[in-house]
Amino acid sequence: MKQLSVIIPTFNEEAYIEKAIRSVSFADEIIVVDSYSSDKTVQIAKQFNCTVVQRKFDNFSNQKNYALQFVSGEWILFVDADERITYALKQEILDTISNPKHAGYKLKFPHFYMNRFLYHHYDSVLRLVKRANCKFEGLVHEKLIIDGSIGQLKNPVLHFTYKGLEHYISKKDSYAWFQAEQMLKKGKKVTYFHLAFKPFYRFFSSYILRRGFMDGIPGLAVASINAYGVFSRYAKLMLLKKGIK
């Protein structure tokens, strides 16, 4: 059995995919699950002998769950096209899966914004897991479900999160629609608490509690747009309840 498989979901990522593939070239196999890109993404992936499978996109969980059936490795590393595995993280991953203490491991993702990495504004996400009994749930911020304990790796992933202010806001809006649709299905209500306090707390948490202020102007910008993302989610839920989209 192969030890490590990598899954990379893509859609029109010709500008990023090659470097992503090169950064995980130490894996035993690389599987690219593509949402029918119209650029050169698939062509580039095939040049690097990746296994390319295609599926029409409906949500993030289904896309990744589809890719799981093509995996032959004991361990799976999930990587996006705009992410890079550093040499230090590569060594840590290989050492970890050779002598694992957990069934899965979270990786650190400092945000990249205004041409710098924001080390006080990062996400910690489960991305390295044993293949057995793992699956994704959720439509937007999909959750990876595994059997067993979860550890944390030290070295960060280089995540070129946003291509600019317009892309950042556009991404927040796109996620907000998905989240609003999920809340509508669950019968969630919208109050002034959701429209005012929740966005304020997201800003406070990002900028003060997580020390985003130490990242300067980029940290302030990210905290502000994250607060907007929360407000947008509930504003869009109000629109959906009125039959407007």
PDB file of all heavy atoms in Angstrom, residues 16 82-84 109-123 157-165 167-168 171 215 218-219 221-222:
ATOM      1  N   TYR A  16      -1.670  28.662 -10.477  1.00  0.00           N
ATOM      2  CA  TYR A  16      -1.205  28.190  -9.170  1.00  0.00           C
ATOM      3  C   TYR A  16      -0.865  26.704  -9.125  1.00  0.00           C
ATOM      4  O   TYR A  16      -0.054  26.286  -8.301  1.00  0.00           O
ATOM      5  CB  TYR A  16      -2.295  28.460  -8.108  1.00  0.00           C
ATOM      6  CG  TYR A  16      -2.475  29.911  -7.756  1.00  0.00           C
ATOM      7  CD1 TYR A  16      -3.303  30.731  -8.518  1.00  0.00           C
ATOM      8  CD2 TYR A  16      -1.829  30.472  -6.673  1.00  0.00           C
ATOM      9  CE1 TYR A  16      -3.470  32.078  -8.197  1.00  0.00           C
ATOM     10  CE2 TYR A  16      -1.983  31.805  -6.337  1.00  0.00           C
ATOM     11  CZ  TYR A  16      -2.808  32.602  -7.116  1.00  0.00           C
ATOM     12  OH  TYR A  16      -2.976  33.918  -6.796  1.00  0.00           O
ATOM     13  N   ASP A  82      -3.742  27.013  -4.184  1.00  0.00           N
ATOM     14  CA  ASP A  82      -3.016  28.213  -3.768  1.00  0.00           C
ATOM     15  C   ASP A  82      -2.226  27.999  -2.479  1.00  0.00           C
ATOM     16  O   ASP A  82      -1.840  28.962  -1.809  1.00  0.00           O
ATOM     17  CB  ASP A  82      -3.967  29.404  -3.621  1.00  0.00           C
ATOM     18  CG  ASP A  82      -5.078  29.160  -2.607  1.00  0.00           C
ATOM     19  OD1 ASP A  82      -5.160  28.036  -2.050  1.00  0.00           O
ATOM     20  OD2 ASP A  82      -5.868  30.088  -2.366  1.00  0.00           O
ATOM     21  N   GLU A  83      -1.973  26.739  -2.145  1.00  0.00           N
ATOM     22  CA  GLU A  83      -1.202  26.407  -0.949  1.00  0.00           C
ATOM     23  C   GLU A  83       0.107  25.725  -1.315  1.00  0.00           C
ATOM     24  O   GLU A  83       0.186  25.033  -2.328  1.00  0.00           O
ATOM     25  CB  GLU A  83      -2.037  25.501  -0.033  1.00  0.00           C
ATOM     26  CG  GLU A  83      -3.305  26.164   0.473  1.00  0.00           C
ATOM     27  CD  GLU A  83      -4.271  25.204   1.135  1.00  0.00           C
ATOM     28  OE1 GLU A  83      -4.012  23.983   1.153  1.00  0.00           O
ATOM     29  OE2 GLU A  83      -5.310  25.682   1.617  1.00  0.00           O
ATOM     30  N   ARG A  84       1.118  25.915  -0.479  1.00  0.00           N
ATOM     31  CA  ARG A  84       2.432  25.337  -0.722  1.00  0.00           C
ATOM     32  C   ARG A  84       2.928  24.656   0.551  1.00  0.00           C
ATOM     33  O   ARG A  84       2.884  25.224   1.640  1.00  0.00           O
ATOM     34  CB  ARG A  84       3.448  26.419  -1.125  1.00  0.00           C
ATOM     35  CG  ARG A  84       2.980  27.331  -2.259  1.00  0.00           C
ATOM     36  CD  ARG A  84       2.983  26.624  -3.591  1.00  0.00           C
ATOM     37  NE  ARG A  84       2.532  27.516  -4.656  1.00  0.00           N
ATOM     38  CZ  ARG A  84       1.292  27.540  -5.130  1.00  0.00           C
ATOM     39  NH1 ARG A  84       0.381  26.730  -4.629  1.00  0.00           N
ATOM     40  NH2 ARG A  84       0.963  28.375  -6.097  1.00  0.00           N
ATOM     41  N   PHE A 109      -2.421  27.633   8.919  1.00  0.00           N
ATOM     42  CA  PHE A 109      -2.532  28.385   7.673  1.00  0.00           C
ATOM     43  C   PHE A 109      -2.526  29.880   7.954  1.00  0.00           C
ATOM     44  O   PHE A 109      -3.587  30.495   8.096  1.00  0.00           O
ATOM     45  CB  PHE A 109      -3.821  28.021   6.934  1.00  0.00           C
ATOM     46  CG  PHE A 109      -3.848  26.619   6.395  1.00  0.00           C
ATOM     47  CD1 PHE A 109      -4.160  25.554   7.219  1.00  0.00           C
ATOM     48  CD2 PHE A 109      -3.555  26.363   5.072  1.00  0.00           C
ATOM     49  CE1 PHE A 109      -4.185  24.257   6.733  1.00  0.00           C
ATOM     50  CE2 PHE A 109      -3.577  25.074   4.566  1.00  0.00           C
ATOM     51  CZ  PHE A 109      -3.886  24.025   5.399  1.00  0.00           C
ATOM     52  N   PRO A 110      -1.344  30.515   8.056  1.00  0.00           N
ATOM     53  CA  PRO A 110      -1.324  31.976   8.177  1.00  0.00           C
ATOM     54  C   PRO A 110      -1.842  32.603   6.886  1.00  0.00           C
ATOM     55  O   PRO A 110      -1.512  32.157   5.791  1.00  0.00           O
ATOM     56  CB  PRO A 110       0.163  32.289   8.411  1.00  0.00           C
ATOM     57  CG  PRO A 110       0.890  31.129   7.828  1.00  0.00           C
ATOM     58  CD  PRO A 110       0.007  29.930   8.029  1.00  0.00           C
ATOM     59  N   HIS A 111      -2.683  33.625   7.010  1.00  0.00           N
ATOM     60  CA  HIS A 111      -3.242  34.263   5.826  1.00  0.00           C
ATOM     61  C   HIS A 111      -2.191  35.105   5.107  1.00  0.00           C
ATOM     62  O   HIS A 111      -1.314  35.694   5.746  1.00  0.00           O
ATOM     63  CB  HIS A 111      -4.429  35.144   6.212  1.00  0.00           C
ATOM     64  CG  HIS A 111      -5.637  34.360   6.607  1.00  0.00           C
ATOM     65  ND1 HIS A 111      -6.919  34.835   6.503  1.00  0.00           N
ATOM     66  CD2 HIS A 111      -5.769  33.103   7.112  1.00  0.00           C
ATOM     67  CE1 HIS A 111      -7.782  33.924   6.909  1.00  0.00           C
ATOM     68  NE2 HIS A 111      -7.099  32.865   7.294  1.00  0.00           N
ATOM     69  N   PHE A 112      -2.300  35.160   3.796  1.00  0.00           N
ATOM     70  CA  PHE A 112      -1.404  35.974   2.972  1.00  0.00           C
ATOM     71  C   PHE A 112      -2.233  37.117   2.401  1.00  0.00           C
ATOM     72  O   PHE A 112      -3.181  36.902   1.660  1.00  0.00           O
ATOM     73  CB  PHE A 112      -0.811  35.140   1.836  1.00  0.00           C
ATOM     74  CG  PHE A 112       0.160  35.892   0.968  1.00  0.00           C
ATOM     75  CD1 PHE A 112       1.475  36.052   1.366  1.00  0.00           C
ATOM     76  CD2 PHE A 112      -0.245  36.439  -0.246  1.00  0.00           C
ATOM     77  CE1 PHE A 112       2.372  36.745   0.576  1.00  0.00           C
ATOM     78  CE2 PHE A 112       0.649  37.132  -1.049  1.00  0.00           C
ATOM     79  CZ  PHE A 112       1.964  37.278  -0.634  1.00  0.00           C
ATOM     80  N   TYR A 113      -1.852  38.339   2.758  1.00  0.00           N
ATOM     81  CA  TYR A 113      -2.630  39.496   2.313  1.00  0.00           C
ATOM     82  C   TYR A 113      -1.727  40.718   2.238  1.00  0.00           C
ATOM     83  O   TYR A 113      -0.863  40.912   3.092  1.00  0.00           O
ATOM     84  CB  TYR A 113      -3.795  39.738   3.271  1.00  0.00           C
ATOM     85  CG  TYR A 113      -4.787  40.747   2.787  1.00  0.00           C
ATOM     86  CD1 TYR A 113      -5.521  40.526   1.628  1.00  0.00           C
ATOM     87  CD2 TYR A 113      -4.992  41.933   3.469  1.00  0.00           C
ATOM     88  CE1 TYR A 113      -6.431  41.454   1.168  1.00  0.00           C
ATOM     89  CE2 TYR A 113      -5.896  42.864   3.032  1.00  0.00           C
ATOM     90  CZ  TYR A 113      -6.619  42.621   1.867  1.00  0.00           C
ATOM     91  OH  TYR A 113      -7.509  43.546   1.401  1.00  0.00           O
ATOM     92  N   MET A 114      -1.912  41.528   1.199  1.00  0.00           N
ATOM     93  CA  MET A 114      -1.078  42.708   0.966  1.00  0.00           C
ATOM     94  C   MET A 114       0.398  42.321   0.935  1.00  0.00           C
ATOM     95  O   MET A 114       1.259  42.969   1.549  1.00  0.00           O
ATOM     96  CB  MET A 114      -1.339  43.790   2.018  1.00  0.00           C
ATOM     97  CG  MET A 114      -2.723  44.404   1.949  1.00  0.00           C
ATOM     98  SD  MET A 114      -2.929  45.777   3.121  1.00  0.00           S
ATOM     99  CE  MET A 114      -4.616  46.261   2.777  1.00  0.00           C
ATOM    100  N   ASN A 115       0.688  41.223   0.233  1.00  0.00           N
ATOM    101  CA  ASN A 115       2.059  40.758  -0.002  1.00  0.00           C
ATOM    102  C   ASN A 115       2.818  40.362   1.257  1.00  0.00           C
ATOM    103  O   ASN A 115       4.051  40.450   1.303  1.00  0.00           O
ATOM    104  CB  ASN A 115       2.863  41.820  -0.770  1.00  0.00           C
ATOM    105  CG  ASN A 115       2.327  42.017  -2.164  1.00  0.00           C
ATOM    106  OD1 ASN A 115       1.971  41.059  -2.848  1.00  0.00           O
ATOM    107  ND2 ASN A 115       2.254  43.269  -2.594  1.00  0.00           N
ATOM    108  N   ARG A 116       2.104  39.895   2.269  1.00  0.00           N
ATOM    109  CA  ARG A 116       2.790  39.405   3.462  1.00  0.00           C
ATOM    110  C   ARG A 116       1.942  38.342   4.148  1.00  0.00           C
ATOM    111  O   ARG A 116       0.718  38.296   3.978  1.00  0.00           O
ATOM    112  CB  ARG A 116       3.087  40.551   4.438  1.00  0.00           C
ATOM    113  CG  ARG A 116       1.848  41.257   4.952  1.00  0.00           C
ATOM    114  CD  ARG A 116       2.175  42.397   5.895  1.00  0.00           C
ATOM    115  NE  ARG A 116       2.631  41.908   7.182  1.00  0.00           N
ATOM    116  CZ  ARG A 116       2.819  42.700   8.245  1.00  0.00           C
ATOM    117  NH1 ARG A 116       2.630  44.004   8.146  1.00  0.00           N
ATOM    118  NH2 ARG A 116       3.215  42.195   9.383  1.00  0.00           N
ATOM    119  N   PHE A 117       2.609  37.456   4.894  1.00  0.00           N
ATOM    120  CA  PHE A 117       1.913  36.455   5.686  1.00  0.00           C
ATOM    121  C   PHE A 117       1.552  37.048   7.043  1.00  0.00           C
ATOM    122  O   PHE A 117       2.387  37.684   7.691  1.00  0.00           O
ATOM    123  CB  PHE A 117       2.775  35.201   5.862  1.00  0.00           C
ATOM    124  CG  PHE A 117       2.840  34.359   4.628  1.00  0.00           C
ATOM    125  CD1 PHE A 117       3.933  34.428   3.781  1.00  0.00           C
ATOM    126  CD2 PHE A 117       1.789  33.519   4.287  1.00  0.00           C
ATOM    127  CE1 PHE A 117       3.983  33.663   2.628  1.00  0.00           C
ATOM    128  CE2 PHE A 117       1.830  32.750   3.136  1.00  0.00           C
ATOM    129  CZ  PHE A 117       2.934  32.827   2.308  1.00  0.00           C
ATOM    130  N   LEU A 118       0.303  36.836   7.450  1.00  0.00           N
ATOM    131  CA  LEU A 118      -0.197  37.369   8.712  1.00  0.00           C
ATOM    132  C   LEU A 118      -0.132  36.262   9.757  1.00  0.00           C
ATOM    133  O   LEU A 118      -1.062  35.465   9.896  1.00  0.00           O
ATOM    134  CB  LEU A 118      -1.629  37.875   8.545  1.00  0.00           C
ATOM    135  CG  LEU A 118      -1.880  38.799   7.349  1.00  0.00           C
ATOM    136  CD1 LEU A 118      -3.321  39.294   7.359  1.00  0.00           C
ATOM    137  CD2 LEU A 118      -0.909  39.971   7.336  1.00  0.00           C
ATOM    138  N   TYR A 119       0.972  36.220  10.485  1.00  0.00           N
ATOM    139  CA  TYR A 119       1.203  35.106  11.408  1.00  0.00           C
ATOM    140  C   TYR A 119       0.363  35.206  12.683  1.00  0.00           C
ATOM    141  O   TYR A 119       0.333  34.275  13.477  1.00  0.00           O
ATOM    142  CB  TYR A 119       2.687  35.006  11.740  1.00  0.00           C
ATOM    143  CG  TYR A 119       3.493  34.483  10.568  1.00  0.00           C
ATOM    144  CD1 TYR A 119       4.226  35.341   9.764  1.00  0.00           C
ATOM    145  CD2 TYR A 119       3.469  33.133  10.234  1.00  0.00           C
ATOM    146  CE1 TYR A 119       4.942  34.867   8.668  1.00  0.00           C
ATOM    147  CE2 TYR A 119       4.173  32.648   9.143  1.00  0.00           C
ATOM    148  CZ  TYR A 119       4.908  33.525   8.366  1.00  0.00           C
ATOM    149  OH  TYR A 119       5.600  33.047   7.274  1.00  0.00           O
ATOM    150  N   HIS A 120      -0.305  36.332  12.882  1.00  0.00           N
ATOM    151  CA  HIS A 120      -1.231  36.442  14.004  1.00  0.00           C
ATOM    152  C   HIS A 120      -2.675  36.269  13.548  1.00  0.00           C
ATOM    153  O   HIS A 120      -3.605  36.438  14.329  1.00  0.00           O
ATOM    154  CB  HIS A 120      -1.059  37.794  14.709  1.00  0.00           C
ATOM    155  CG  HIS A 120       0.269  37.949  15.377  1.00  0.00           C
ATOM    156  ND1 HIS A 120       1.360  38.504  14.745  1.00  0.00           N
ATOM    157  CD2 HIS A 120       0.713  37.566  16.603  1.00  0.00           C
ATOM    158  CE1 HIS A 120       2.403  38.480  15.555  1.00  0.00           C
ATOM    159  NE2 HIS A 120       2.042  37.920  16.679  1.00  0.00           N
ATOM    160  N   HIS A 121      -2.825  35.950  12.292  1.00  0.00           N
ATOM    161  CA  HIS A 121      -4.166  35.675  11.770  1.00  0.00           C
ATOM    162  C   HIS A 121      -4.070  34.403  10.946  1.00  0.00           C
ATOM    163  O   HIS A 121      -3.718  34.429   9.780  1.00  0.00           O
ATOM    164  CB  HIS A 121      -4.658  36.837  10.904  1.00  0.00           C
ATOM    165  CG  HIS A 121      -6.116  36.726  10.576  1.00  0.00           C
ATOM    166  ND1 HIS A 121      -7.084  37.461  11.211  1.00  0.00           N
ATOM    167  CD2 HIS A 121      -6.773  35.945   9.689  1.00  0.00           C
ATOM    168  CE1 HIS A 121      -8.275  37.140  10.738  1.00  0.00           C
ATOM    169  NE2 HIS A 121      -8.107  36.229   9.796  1.00  0.00           N
ATOM    170  N   TYR A 122      -4.330  33.296  11.592  1.00  0.00           N
ATOM    171  CA  TYR A 122      -4.186  32.022  10.901  1.00  0.00           C
ATOM    172  C   TYR A 122      -5.313  31.068  11.290  1.00  0.00           C
ATOM    173  O   TYR A 122      -5.990  31.246  12.302  1.00  0.00           O
ATOM    174  CB  TYR A 122      -2.831  31.370  11.219  1.00  0.00           C
ATOM    175  CG  TYR A 122      -2.668  30.908  12.645  1.00  0.00           C
ATOM    176  CD1 TYR A 122      -3.080  29.647  13.041  1.00  0.00           C
ATOM    177  CD2 TYR A 122      -2.092  31.739  13.605  1.00  0.00           C
ATOM    178  CE1 TYR A 122      -2.935  29.220  14.353  1.00  0.00           C
ATOM    179  CE2 TYR A 122      -1.946  31.324  14.916  1.00  0.00           C
ATOM    180  CZ  TYR A 122      -2.367  30.065  15.280  1.00  0.00           C
ATOM    181  OH  TYR A 122      -2.238  29.650  16.584  1.00  0.00           O
ATOM    182  N   ASP A 123      -5.525  30.089  10.450  1.00  0.00           N
ATOM    183  CA  ASP A 123      -6.479  29.031  10.730  1.00  0.00           C
ATOM    184  C   ASP A 123      -5.712  27.749  11.031  1.00  0.00           C
ATOM    185  O   ASP A 123      -4.607  27.543  10.522  1.00  0.00           O
ATOM    186  CB  ASP A 123      -7.398  28.783   9.532  1.00  0.00           C
ATOM    187  CG  ASP A 123      -8.212  30.015   9.169  1.00  0.00           C
ATOM    188  OD1 ASP A 123      -8.775  30.628  10.094  1.00  0.00           O
ATOM    189  OD2 ASP A 123      -8.262  30.364   7.983  1.00  0.00           O
ATOM    190  N   VAL A 157       1.623  25.976   6.596  1.00  0.00           N
ATOM    191  CA  VAL A 157       1.439  25.899   5.154  1.00  0.00           C
ATOM    192  C   VAL A 157       1.510  27.325   4.602  1.00  0.00           C
ATOM    193  O   VAL A 157       0.966  28.253   5.213  1.00  0.00           O
ATOM    194  CB  VAL A 157       0.062  25.290   4.807  1.00  0.00           C
ATOM    195  CG1 VAL A 157      -0.164  25.258   3.304  1.00  0.00           C
ATOM    196  CG2 VAL A 157      -0.069  23.899   5.395  1.00  0.00           C
ATOM    197  N   LEU A 158       2.177  27.502   3.472  1.00  0.00           N
ATOM    198  CA  LEU A 158       2.151  28.806   2.819  1.00  0.00           C
ATOM    199  C   LEU A 158       0.866  28.876   1.997  1.00  0.00           C
ATOM    200  O   LEU A 158       0.699  28.153   1.019  1.00  0.00           O
ATOM    201  CB  LEU A 158       3.370  28.990   1.914  1.00  0.00           C
ATOM    202  CG  LEU A 158       4.733  28.916   2.610  1.00  0.00           C
ATOM    203  CD1 LEU A 158       5.842  29.246   1.626  1.00  0.00           C
ATOM    204  CD2 LEU A 158       4.798  29.857   3.814  1.00  0.00           C
ATOM    205  N   HIS A 159      -0.033  29.726   2.425  1.00  0.00           N
ATOM    206  CA  HIS A 159      -1.360  29.817   1.810  1.00  0.00           C
ATOM    207  C   HIS A 159      -1.532  31.206   1.205  1.00  0.00           C
ATOM    208  O   HIS A 159      -1.680  32.185   1.923  1.00  0.00           O
ATOM    209  CB  HIS A 159      -2.432  29.551   2.872  1.00  0.00           C
ATOM    210  CG  HIS A 159      -3.822  29.509   2.318  1.00  0.00           C
ATOM    211  ND1 HIS A 159      -4.948  29.616   3.109  1.00  0.00           N
ATOM    212  CD2 HIS A 159      -4.273  29.371   1.051  1.00  0.00           C
ATOM    213  CE1 HIS A 159      -6.017  29.540   2.351  1.00  0.00           C
ATOM    214  NE2 HIS A 159      -5.638  29.399   1.101  1.00  0.00           N
ATOM    215  N   PHE A 160      -1.506  31.266  -0.116  1.00  0.00           N
ATOM    216  CA  PHE A 160      -1.669  32.542  -0.807  1.00  0.00           C
ATOM    217  C   PHE A 160      -3.170  32.803  -0.930  1.00  0.00           C
ATOM    218  O   PHE A 160      -3.771  32.689  -1.995  1.00  0.00           O
ATOM    219  CB  PHE A 160      -0.967  32.509  -2.158  1.00  0.00           C
ATOM    220  CG  PHE A 160       0.518  32.360  -2.009  1.00  0.00           C
ATOM    221  CD1 PHE A 160       1.107  31.103  -1.999  1.00  0.00           C
ATOM    222  CD2 PHE A 160       1.323  33.467  -1.810  1.00  0.00           C
ATOM    223  CE1 PHE A 160       2.482  30.960  -1.830  1.00  0.00           C
ATOM    224  CE2 PHE A 160       2.696  33.339  -1.636  1.00  0.00           C
ATOM    225  CZ  PHE A 160       3.281  32.083  -1.649  1.00  0.00           C
ATOM    226  N   THR A 161      -3.750  33.201   0.207  1.00  0.00           N
ATOM    227  CA  THR A 161      -5.191  33.179   0.398  1.00  0.00           C
ATOM    228  C   THR A 161      -5.970  34.045  -0.579  1.00  0.00           C
ATOM    229  O   THR A 161      -6.929  33.599  -1.182  1.00  0.00           O
ATOM    230  CB  THR A 161      -5.522  33.661   1.835  1.00  0.00           C
ATOM    231  OG1 THR A 161      -4.464  33.305   2.704  1.00  0.00           O
ATOM    232  CG2 THR A 161      -6.821  33.057   2.313  1.00  0.00           C
ATOM    233  N   TYR A 162      -5.558  35.292  -0.718  1.00  0.00           N
ATOM    234  CA  TYR A 162      -6.360  36.231  -1.482  1.00  0.00           C
ATOM    235  C   TYR A 162      -5.525  36.922  -2.550  1.00  0.00           C
ATOM    236  O   TYR A 162      -4.408  37.354  -2.304  1.00  0.00           O
ATOM    237  CB  TYR A 162      -6.987  37.264  -0.544  1.00  0.00           C
ATOM    238  CG  TYR A 162      -7.719  36.602   0.593  1.00  0.00           C
ATOM    239  CD1 TYR A 162      -7.255  36.687   1.900  1.00  0.00           C
ATOM    240  CD2 TYR A 162      -8.866  35.843   0.348  1.00  0.00           C
ATOM    241  CE1 TYR A 162      -7.925  36.048   2.929  1.00  0.00           C
ATOM    242  CE2 TYR A 162      -9.533  35.198   1.363  1.00  0.00           C
ATOM    243  CZ  TYR A 162      -9.067  35.312   2.648  1.00  0.00           C
ATOM    244  OH  TYR A 162      -9.712  34.671   3.673  1.00  0.00           O
ATOM    245  N   LYS A 163      -6.109  37.044  -3.721  1.00  0.00           N
ATOM    246  CA  LYS A 163      -5.408  37.634  -4.859  1.00  0.00           C
ATOM    247  C   LYS A 163      -5.549  39.143  -4.897  1.00  0.00           C
ATOM    248  O   LYS A 163      -5.086  39.795  -5.813  1.00  0.00           O
ATOM    249  CB  LYS A 163      -5.929  37.009  -6.157  1.00  0.00           C
ATOM    250  CG  LYS A 163      -5.800  35.483  -6.207  1.00  0.00           C
ATOM    251  CD  LYS A 163      -6.434  34.907  -7.450  1.00  0.00           C
ATOM    252  CE  LYS A 163      -6.297  33.382  -7.487  1.00  0.00           C
ATOM    253  NZ  LYS A 163      -7.153  32.714  -6.506  1.00  0.00           N
ATOM    254  N   GLY A 164      -6.228  39.714  -3.915  1.00  0.00           N
ATOM    255  CA  GLY A 164      -6.444  41.155  -3.854  1.00  0.00           C
ATOM    256  C   GLY A 164      -7.729  41.448  -3.099  1.00  0.00           C
ATOM    257  O   GLY A 164      -8.494  40.551  -2.739  1.00  0.00           O
ATOM    258  N   LEU A 165      -7.982  42.730  -2.841  1.00  0.00           N
ATOM    259  CA  LEU A 165      -9.146  43.136  -2.055  1.00  0.00           C
ATOM    260  C   LEU A 165     -10.450  42.687  -2.714  1.00  0.00           C
ATOM    261  O   LEU A 165     -11.347  42.154  -2.053  1.00  0.00           O
ATOM    262  CB  LEU A 165      -9.140  44.659  -1.882  1.00  0.00           C
ATOM    263  CG  LEU A 165     -10.300  45.249  -1.073  1.00  0.00           C
ATOM    264  CD1 LEU A 165     -10.286  44.696   0.349  1.00  0.00           C
ATOM    265  CD2 LEU A 165     -10.204  46.772  -1.054  1.00  0.00           C
ATOM    266  N   HIS A 167     -10.968  40.217  -4.813  1.00  0.00           N
ATOM    267  CA  HIS A 167     -11.101  38.758  -4.722  1.00  0.00           C
ATOM    268  C   HIS A 167     -11.487  38.332  -3.312  1.00  0.00           C
ATOM    269  O   HIS A 167     -12.308  37.422  -3.130  1.00  0.00           O
ATOM    270  CB  HIS A 167      -9.779  38.104  -5.121  1.00  0.00           C
ATOM    271  CG  HIS A 167      -9.757  36.615  -4.929  1.00  0.00           C
ATOM    272  ND1 HIS A 167      -9.126  36.014  -3.861  1.00  0.00           N
ATOM    273  CD2 HIS A 167     -10.309  35.604  -5.652  1.00  0.00           C
ATOM    274  CE1 HIS A 167      -9.278  34.712  -3.940  1.00  0.00           C
ATOM    275  NE2 HIS A 167      -9.990  34.428  -5.008  1.00  0.00           N
ATOM    276  N   TYR A 168     -10.904  38.989  -2.309  1.00  0.00           N
ATOM    277  CA  TYR A 168     -11.191  38.665  -0.908  1.00  0.00           C
ATOM    278  C   TYR A 168     -12.677  38.879  -0.610  1.00  0.00           C
ATOM    279  O   TYR A 168     -13.361  38.009  -0.060  1.00  0.00           O
ATOM    280  CB  TYR A 168     -10.325  39.562  -0.015  1.00  0.00           C
ATOM    281  CG  TYR A 168     -10.258  39.163   1.439  1.00  0.00           C
ATOM    282  CD1 TYR A 168      -9.464  39.897   2.319  1.00  0.00           C
ATOM    283  CD2 TYR A 168     -10.962  38.081   1.955  1.00  0.00           C
ATOM    284  CE1 TYR A 168      -9.380  39.556   3.663  1.00  0.00           C
ATOM    285  CE2 TYR A 168     -10.890  37.734   3.288  1.00  0.00           C
ATOM    286  CZ  TYR A 168     -10.093  38.479   4.133  1.00  0.00           C
ATOM    287  OH  TYR A 168     -10.022  38.138   5.465  1.00  0.00           O
ATOM    288  N   LYS A 171     -14.913  36.415  -2.448  1.00  0.00           N
ATOM    289  CA  LYS A 171     -14.887  35.102  -1.819  1.00  0.00           C
ATOM    290  C   LYS A 171     -15.785  35.077  -0.589  1.00  0.00           C
ATOM    291  O   LYS A 171     -16.525  34.107  -0.359  1.00  0.00           O
ATOM    292  CB  LYS A 171     -13.448  34.749  -1.440  1.00  0.00           C
ATOM    293  CG  LYS A 171     -13.234  33.291  -1.064  1.00  0.00           C
ATOM    294  CD  LYS A 171     -11.743  33.000  -0.939  1.00  0.00           C
ATOM    295  CE  LYS A 171     -11.500  31.526  -0.649  1.00  0.00           C
ATOM    296  NZ  LYS A 171     -10.053  31.201  -0.552  1.00  0.00           N
ATOM    297  N   ASP A 215      -0.234  42.627  12.990  1.00  0.00           N
ATOM    298  CA  ASP A 215       0.036  42.481  11.559  1.00  0.00           C
ATOM    299  C   ASP A 215      -0.161  43.782  10.802  1.00  0.00           C
ATOM    300  O   ASP A 215      -0.220  43.783   9.567  1.00  0.00           O
ATOM    301  CB  ASP A 215      -0.866  41.388  10.966  1.00  0.00           C
ATOM    302  CG  ASP A 215      -0.456  39.999  11.424  1.00  0.00           C
ATOM    303  OD1 ASP A 215       0.749  39.707  11.410  1.00  0.00           O
ATOM    304  OD2 ASP A 215      -1.350  39.210  11.798  1.00  0.00           O
ATOM    305  N   PRO A 218      -2.569  45.334   7.106  1.00  0.00           N
ATOM    306  CA  PRO A 218      -3.204  44.118   6.584  1.00  0.00           C
ATOM    307  C   PRO A 218      -4.058  43.405   7.635  1.00  0.00           C
ATOM    308  O   PRO A 218      -5.126  42.877   7.319  1.00  0.00           O
ATOM    309  CB  PRO A 218      -2.011  43.251   6.163  1.00  0.00           C
ATOM    310  CG  PRO A 218      -0.941  44.228   5.843  1.00  0.00           C
ATOM    311  CD  PRO A 218      -1.107  45.331   6.854  1.00  0.00           C
ATOM    312  N   GLY A 219      -3.591  43.395   8.887  1.00  0.00           N
ATOM    313  CA  GLY A 219      -4.362  42.767   9.951  1.00  0.00           C
ATOM    314  C   GLY A 219      -5.677  43.479  10.197  1.00  0.00           C
ATOM    315  O   GLY A 219      -6.715  42.846  10.438  1.00  0.00           O
ATOM    316  N   ALA A 221      -7.304  45.267   7.904  1.00  0.00           N
ATOM    317  CA  ALA A 221      -8.142  45.022   6.732  1.00  0.00           C
ATOM    318  C   ALA A 221      -8.807  43.653   6.811  1.00  0.00           C
ATOM    319  O   ALA A 221     -10.009  43.518   6.549  1.00  0.00           O
ATOM    320  CB  ALA A 221      -7.299  45.128   5.461  1.00  0.00           C
ATOM    321  N   VAL A 222      -8.051  42.636   7.177  1.00  0.00           N
ATOM    322  CA  VAL A 222      -8.597  41.279   7.264  1.00  0.00           C
ATOM    323  C   VAL A 222      -9.676  41.198   8.342  1.00  0.00           C
ATOM    324  O   VAL A 222     -10.735  40.594   8.124  1.00  0.00           O
ATOM    325  CB  VAL A 222      -7.474  40.260   7.543  1.00  0.00           C
ATOM    326  CG1 VAL A 222      -8.054  38.907   7.935  1.00  0.00           C
ATOM    327  CG2 VAL A 222      -6.594  40.092   6.313  1.00  0.00           C
TER     328      VAL A 222
END
